[in-house]
Amino acid sequence: KQEVTQIPAALSVPEGENLVLNCSFTDSAIYNLQWFRQDPGKGLTSLLLIQSSQREQTSGRLNASLDKSSGRSTLYIAASQPGDSATYLCAVREGSGGYQKVTFGIGTKLQVIP
Amino acid sequence: DAGITQSPRHKVTETGTPVTLRCHQTENHRYMYWYRQDPGHGLRLIHYSYGVKDTDKGEVSDGYSVSRSKTEDFLLTLESATSSQTSVYFCAISETSGLHYEQYFGPGTRLTVT
């Protein structure tokens, strides 16, 4: 059974710092990995999707990497801003075509202090 | 934005009453999902649908049923609500960009069972 772990559970940093959020998964036979952002009381917003054949994806100040063989992904946030404060979730997808089983981590709650 | 809406957004109900939550999408996606999110747990899949009248169980399906009579609507019914079903419920769709399956989420329904 796939298990997804996110460390740390919570993180508080001063504005402007670069930071790394970690996601690990137990079964490396994944199809892709997706990073989400969730603001309090809101739904999930997709940030980045990395296919199993890719090593990284970038969007603005965000960079996500994937090391499938070791079961790890990182989300790098450059020059953090108070607006980045949210919970960040990673999810791994298994299977191909049709229905794909998705397993979520519990998330890392990020606070960026002005 | 994958055009996903959920209704109601908040609901308080009493133990033993039936409850139906609605998910509506406007972009003709084939795959739709219902998840619940609880503190200390990642999102957990309740049921999913892969087409009109085609549904299947997820990992926490006991006490829930679903129906999909139209592509755009996916209904989740709690047949007899219990306090353990107090949760935030999210609907999601899978969008495919080529072979890149990516999930998008609705805003959520906060359900309280008293």
Side-chain angles (χ1 to χ4, degrees), chain A residues 31-32 34 36 38 41-44 46 49 51 89 93 97-100 102 104-106, chain B residues 9 31 33 35 37 40-43 45 48 90 99-107 110:
Chain A
Y31 185 77
N32 63 31
Q34 193 168 358
F36 295 90
Q38 185 175 28
K42 304 291 186 181
L44 280 68
S46 179
L49 177 76
Q51 295 300 112
L89 298 152
R93 184 169 286 104
Y99 168 70
Q100 299 171 320
V102 181
F104 288 81
I106 295 174
Chain B
R9 294 292 315 281
Y31 287 89
Y33 309 80
Y35 290 90
Q37 186 178 38
H41 294 272
L43 275 81
L45 182 65
Y48 68 97
F90 288 100
L99 295 177
H100 297 179
Y101 289 83
E102 189 165 357
Q103 272 191 320
Y104 293 90
F105 284 78
R110 183 173 295 275

Side-chain angles (χ1 to χ4, degrees), chain A residues 54-68:
Chain A
Q54 297 176 319
R55 297 285 292 181
E56 64 180 88
Q57 281 287 336
T58 298
S59 176
R61 294 184 293 110
L62 305 180
N63 175 276
S65 68
L66 175 64
D67 184 343
K68 199 176 79 161

Side-chain angles (χ1 to χ4, degrees), chain B residues 70-112:
Chain B
K70 298 184 290 184
T71 298
E72 59 266 35
D73 288 326
F74 191 31
L75 303 181
L76 176 71
T77 297
L78 287 65
E79 292 139 11
S80 177
T82 68
S83 58
S84 65
Q85 293 176 313
T86 292
S87 186
V88 180
Y89 292 86
F90 288 100
C91 174
I93 60 92
S94 281
E95 179 175 291
T96 58
S97 175
L99 295 177
H100 297 179
Y101 289 83
E102 189 165 357
Q103 272 191 320
Y104 293 90
F105 284 78
T109 294
R110 183 173 295 275
L111 176 67
T112 302

Side-chain angles (χ1 to χ4, degrees), chain A residues 9-15 17 19 21 80-88 108-114:
Chain A
L11 182 64
S12 183
V13 300
E15 181 177 2
E17 254 195 30
L19 59 99
L21 307 181
S80 58
Q81 303 171 357
D84 295 330
S85 298
T87 297
Y88 291 80
T108 294
K109 186 174 184 179
L110 172 66
Q111 182 182 25
V112 180
I113 302 167

